[in-house]
Amino acid sequence: MSAVHPFLAHAPGELVSAFVVPLVSLAYLLGVDWRMTLITLVPVALALAPVPLMATPARLREQREVDAAKGRITGSVIEFVQGISVVKAYGGAERAHHRFLAAKDAFVATFDRWVRGLSRPAAAVQLVLSPPFVLLVVLTGGAVLVTHGALPPADLLPFLLLGLGLTAPVAALGHGFDDLSAAGRAVGRIRDVLSVPPLPEPGHPVPVRGGRVELRGVHFGYDGGHEVLRGVDLVLEPGTVTALVGPSGSGKSTLARLLPRFSDPTRGAVLLGGADLRRVAGPELYRTVSCVFQDVRLLRASLADNIALAVPRADHAAVVRAARLAGVHDRILRLPRGYASVVGEDAGLSGGEAQRIALARALLADTPVLVLDEATSFADPETERAVRRALAAREGERTVLVIAHRRETVADADVAVLLVDGVIAEQGRPAELLARGGAFARFWEAHGPAPADGASTGRGVRP
C-alpha cells in the first residue's frame, strides 16, 4: 500500500502541473515558427529514445528481484526485533546479526546489478535534457535559420526562454513512470492476496438448531498436501466439556478451527445443530460459536470495548459480570482508569491477563458453543481455576471444546479425546480411559505428575 500511495496521491497532480505550462508554451512557439519548434523538440525526442531500453523484460525482472530483496531485509529486521528477547536469552544475537548482514549484502548486490543495467540509458536521458545541451541545440538550429534569413533574430528569444520548459514533461514522465511501475508491482501483490478465494457463503442458508456439534468422517489437509486430520468422527453434546489432548502436531488446533469455519474439511462434514457448516450463514455461525485462542489479539481500545467486541451494545454491568467470571475484574480495577484503560497506553497486561480478557469477551458473547484452543497456555493456576469456574457457569447449556495441557482441565472434562497423527486414538470419560490403561493412560502418565488432592473441581476424575 505504501508503494501505491505515491502514485495515487502525488503523481496525477505532479504530471498535470508539469504538462500544462509546456503545452501552452509549445502552442505559442508553434505560432512563432514551426521549424524552430521542431528543432527545440529534438532533445525531447532523444530523451524518449532510450526509454524502451529501461523497460525490457530483463530490467523488469531485476526490479522485481530488488523488491524481493528489500522485503527480505525488512523481514530480517522485524524478525530480529520481535524475537530479540529470545535471541539474547540463548546467545543468538551474533547469528541473528549475520542473517541481517546476509540479507543486506544480497540486497546491495541485487540493487547494484539493477542500477548498473539502467545507468547508461539513464545517463543519456539526463544528458540530453540538461540545460546546456538544450541551449546548444536551440542556438545551433536558430543560428542556421537566422543565417539563411528563415527566422528573424528577435524570434529566437522565445525559444531560448521557453525551450528549457519543454523538457520538463520528460523528466516528470520519468518519475511518474517509476511511481507507476512500483505501484503496478504492488497492485500485483495486492491482487495475489485478494485473489485467494474466500470460503463460499451458502445461497440458501439453513438454521442452526441447538449447540450439538458433530464431525463426520472429517479429513483435512493444507493446500492439498499431507492430511492433518484423517477420518475424524466426534460428537460434542450440549452441556458437556470435551478436552482434546494429544502430542504436538497431532491436529488439535486444526480440528478446533474447523468449528468456527476458518477452513472447510477436505472430505467429510462438520455439523452444528444438525446443519452442515457450509450451509450456515456467517452471522448466524458467529452468534453460535465463539473462540479463545492461544495467540490473543486485543484492540487498541478500552478494556470495556475489548470485552464487548462481540456485543457492542452490552451495558457496563454485563461487561463487569463477564470479567468477574473470567477472573480479571479485580485486575482491571487496579488499572489507572479501570475499564476505560486503553490497551497499549495505560493498560499493560501479562499474557495470562490478556487471555482472561479474551475469555471474558467469549463469555459475554454467551454463545452455545465455545472453543478454547490452548487458551490458558500463559495462565497461572489461578487463571486456570477461573476458566473452569467460567465454564461451569452455564453448565447444562454450553458445548465446550477445550485444548489444554494441564491435567486439572482434562480431569474436569466430561469427555477426553486423544488425537494422534490426525486420528482419534481413544475417547471417553477421563476416569474410564485411565482405568482402561490404553493410549490415553500412557499419554497421561507421560505428561507430568498428577495434581495434588483438591486441584480438581470434581467434575470428572482426580488422578
Side-chain angles (χ1 to χ4, degrees):
M1 292 304 299
S2 61
V4 175
H5 169 76
F7 176 73
L8 295 179
H10 305 295
E14 292 175 354
L15 290 174
V16 169
S17 62
F19 273 102
V20 169
V21 173
L23 287 176
V24 172
S25 301
L26 182 61
Y28 170 73
L29 294 178
L30 283 171
V32 175
D33 188 276
W34 65 272
R35 293 164 301 183
M36 192 61 208
T37 302
L38 293 179
I39 294 174
T40 306
L41 290 176
V42 167
V44 175
L46 293 176
L48 294 176
V51 170
L53 300 177
M54 304 169 69
T56 62
R59 298 285 83 81
L60 297 177
R61 183 176 62 253
E62 290 175 353
Q63 178 61 72
R64 290 192 294 269
E65 292 173 356
V66 169
D67 291 342
K70 188 183 300 183
R72 287 192 294 271
I73 194 172
T74 302
S76 68
V77 173
I78 294 174
E79 180 185 60
F80 178 77
V81 172
Q82 290 182 339
I84 192 168
S85 58
V86 175
V87 169
K88 292 185 68 175
Y90 288 93
E94 185 175 352
R95 292 192 301 274
H97 188 238
H98 284 325
R99 286 197 295 272
F100 166 75
L101 292 178
K104 180 264 297 181
D105 291 340
F107 171 76
V108 170
T110 304
F111 185 80
D112 182 66
R113 184 171 64 253
W114 173 64
V115 170
R116 286 179 182 274
L118 294 176
S119 59
R120 291 185 179 181
V125 171
Q126 293 294 327
L127 175 63
V128 298
L129 292 179
S130 63
F133 185 83
V134 174
L135 289 176
L136 177 63
V137 171
V138 172
L139 285 174
T140 302
V144 172
L145 292 178
V146 170
T147 300
H148 290 80
L151 180 72
D155 287 348
L156 180 60
L157 183 61
F159 293 95
L160 292 173
L161 296 176
L162 301 178
L164 296 175
L166 296 180
T167 60
V170 180
L173 182 63
H175 295 298
F177 178 78
D178 291 340
D179 291 341
L180 176 62
S181 179
R185 295 191 303 272
V187 167
R189 294 192 294 272
I190 293 171
R191 283 176 176 166
D192 290 341
V193 175
L194 297 181
S195 64
V196 176
L199 292 175
E201 283 288 323
H204 301 283
V206 297
V208 174
R209 305 184 186 281
R212 187 175 189 267
V213 177
E214 184 178 358
L215 285 77
R216 293 180 181 173
V218 168
H219 292 251
F220 182 81
Y222 292 99
D223 298 326
H226 172 71
E227 282 194 330
V228 181
L229 300 176
R230 300 181 290 120
V232 174
D233 292 298
L234 181 63
V235 176
L236 312 178
E237 297 288 354
T240 64
V241 176
T242 300
L244 187 61
V245 299
S248 298
S250 59
K252 302 185 299 296
S253 294
T254 299
L255 189 152
R257 290 172 183 267
L258 293 180
L259 270 62
R261 205 192 169 204
F262 291 164
S263 299
D264 281 336
T266 309
R267 283 185 288 160
V270 180
L271 279 66
L272 174 62
D276 190 321
L277 288 186
R278 287 168 289 203
R279 301 185 61 193
V280 177
E284 182 171 8
L285 172 61
Y286 297 115
R287 285 195 299 267
T288 309
V289 180
S290 57
C291 311
V292 182
F293 295 114
Q294 177 182 4
D295 186 15
V296 175
R297 297 293 182 184
L298 299 180
L299 305 180
R300 194 177 184 85
S302 71
L303 292 175
D305 289 340
N306 270 282
I307 294 174
L309 183 63
V311 191
R313 297 182 181 179
D315 57 28
H316 185 69
V319 171
V320 171
R321 185 164 55 251
R324 287 184 182 276
L325 286 173
V328 74
H329 171 70
D330 293 338
R331 174 68 180 98
I332 293 176
L333 292 184
R334 290 197 297 270
L335 293 171
R337 292 187 289 156
Y339 282 86
S341 300
V342 175
V343 174
E345 293 182 5
D346 53 357
L349 302 174
S350 67
E353 291 165 349
Q355 286 183 329
R356 292 194 201 190
I357 297 294
L359 178 62
R361 176 192 295 165
L363 294 174
L364 180 61
D366 200 28
T367 57
V369 179
L370 177 60
V371 179
L372 303 173
D373 182 2
E374 300 188 44
T376 55
S377 58
F378 299 135
D380 51 26
E382 180 184 352
T383 300
E384 184 78 10
R385 288 192 294 272
V387 170
R388 295 204 297 274
R389 287 196 301 268
L391 295 181
R394 193 178 172 181
E395 187 174 2
E397 301 178 29
R398 181 183 287 124
T399 304
V400 179
L401 175 65
V402 55
I403 298 176
H405 297 293
R406 282 201 174 101
R407 283 182 160 198
E408 294 90 338
T409 304
V410 180
D412 284 347
D414 299 290
V415 179
V417 177
L418 175 62
L419 194 65
V420 179
D421 195 21
V423 177
I424 294 180
E426 276 193 307
Q427 63 177 308
R429 293 186 62 81
E432 296 172 356
L433 295 178
L434 286 174
R436 192 180 301 169
F440 177 83
R442 291 192 297 271
F443 180 82
W444 183 280
E445 293 300 328
H447 286 74
D453 288 346
S456 173
T457 60
R459 278 184 67 118
V461 58
R462 182 172 64 237

